Amino acid sequence: MILTVTLNTALDITYRVPSLRPHRSHRVSEVTERPGGKGVNVARVLAALGHEVTVTGFAGGPTGREVHERLTGTPGVTDALVTVAGTTRRTVAVVDARSGDTTQLNEPGPQISPAEWSAFQDVYEDLLSSAAAVALCGSLPPGVPVGAYAGLVRAARAAQVPVLLDTAGEALRRGIAGRPDLIKPNADELAELTGAHEPLRAAQDARRRGARAVVASLGPDGLLASTPDGLWRAAPPAKVQGNPTGAGDSAVAGLLSGLVEQLPWPERLARAVALSTATVLAPAAGEFDRAAYEDLLGRVTVTGGVTAA
């Protein structure tokens, strides 16, 4: 079983409009609603790849109940979300069909009490006993300690469970001190962490700060990896237009599934880039275009392999 943690779960709402124009009323041509938050999106992609996945984190209020109900109908995904008094947030993505651009609106999430945080930690440590790997994903809701991820990373390492951390800002800065096996920031998040704006230099600096391996997302240009086995670049055969929401989460699913399957780094990176690109081509977060994925998988370019410092 693979465990994904989404402390700030959401109900993802995607609106498609013919053309998004500020200060105007719009007719929505299509609406999609599904459980969201980074770790939930990762879990959905992992399940589609054939892995058994358990999701945990927080859910509460009417939105949280809808998240529970929708997760129940997701094959391969087990719901272990901890119920809280506050209301789970909503995220709204507005997709401009004309340009392909997406505008994202994210609510902050519910206030988590010390008792709720303690209850989650008990559930998390229990789940680690049967996990092959764990992904810690996304932002921290109000009330969760800013150093929370460092403690969760250390608990996974103590249980000898490989751990991937995908967050940003101060949560990443504190979390990397727990020495995760892998972090997956984008280029801006990596620059904010290290102060270095050249991605390779920043990735190597992040490893010195505690991450065993770093895979940096370069957007449509693919991925850069600094690992104990070498330095790698992986790029799609061509840039694509579409909805990028969830593309990074699909990359995480590709990396995590490759870790569990003990694939060599080039194959993990090719899978991650193919999944990420195929997600841009899909209509909603947490989905990927399977035909596009299968076509892309053999056409991703992976270069490198020089021993990393």
Side-chain angles (χ1 to χ4, degrees):
M1 176 270 285
I2 299 176
L3 177 63
T4 71
V5 174
T6 312
L7 296 176
N8 212 1
T9 53
L11 181 67
D12 286 342
I13 303 167
T14 302
Y15 293 136
R16 294 185 69 86
V17 297
S19 177
L20 181 62
R21 295 173 294 172
H23 317 299
R24 301 285 185 91
S25 295
H26 295 77
R27 289 189 180 278
V28 176
S29 58
E30 182 182 343
V31 181
T32 305
E33 295 186 5
R34 63 193 61 244
K38 293 180 72 65
V40 175
N41 292 336
V42 171
R44 190 181 294 109
V45 175
L46 285 168
L49 292 172
H51 290 274
E52 292 296 321
V53 193
T54 296
V55 297
T56 191
F58 298 112
T63 313
R65 286 194 293 274
E66 187 160 357
V67 168
H68 280 300
E69 289 170 7
R70 290 177 178 268
L71 279 176
T72 300
T74 306
V77 175
T78 298
D79 177 1
L81 294 170
V82 176
T83 300
V84 295
T87 298
T88 295
R89 66 188 179 130
R90 295 161 297 180
T91 68
V92 178
V94 184
V95 181
D96 184 324
R98 178 179 55 83
S99 67
D101 292 338
T102 300
T103 300
Q104 189 83 18
L105 303 172
N106 296 329
E107 296 179 358
Q111 181 75 30
I112 304 301
S113 71
E116 289 166 341
W117 173 238
S118 179
F120 166 79
Q121 289 176 285
D122 290 342
V123 169
Y124 173 72
E125 294 191 13
D126 221 27
L127 290 168
L128 284 175
S129 63
S130 55
V134 58
L136 307 173
C137 302
S139 61
L140 302 176
V144 172
V146 70
Y149 279 135
L152 299 181
V153 169
R154 292 188 183 104
R157 289 179 58 83
Q160 299 185 318
V161 177
V163 56
L164 182 155
L165 176 63
D166 182 18
T167 188
E170 192 62 21
L172 176 58
R173 190 181 308 279
R174 300 285 189 94
I176 202 172
R179 306 188 67 82
D181 293 274
L182 174 62
I183 63 170
K184 207 287 301 168
N186 63 34
D188 290 340
E189 292 162 351
L190 193 56
E192 182 183 3
L193 172 69
T194 64
H197 291 272
E198 199 287 308
L200 176 57
R201 179 181 174 185
Q204 292 174 312
D205 186 0
R207 288 190 63 209
R208 286 190 287 270
R209 291 168 184 254
R212 187 166 185 268
V214 177
V215 176
S217 172
L218 306 178
D221 294 323
L223 299 172
L224 166 72
S226 176
T227 81
D229 298 329
L231 303 171
W232 312 88
R233 288 288 298 267
K239 295 181 181 180
V240 298
Q241 278 197 326
N243 180 3
T245 306
D249 305 331
S250 291
V252 168
L255 294 168
L256 202 59
S257 62
L259 183 157
V260 170
E261 295 170 31
Q262 299 182 328
L263 297 180
W265 273 105
E267 291 183 35
R268 296 187 206 181
L269 295 168
R271 179 181 290 183
V273 169
L275 281 169
S276 178
T277 306
T279 297
V280 174
L281 297 171
E287 289 185 351
F288 63 94
D289 184 312
R290 184 170 290 276
Y293 164 65
E294 292 172 354
D295 173 64
L296 287 161
L297 189 57
R299 299 195 296 125
V300 173
T301 301
V302 182
T303 58
V306 179
T307 302

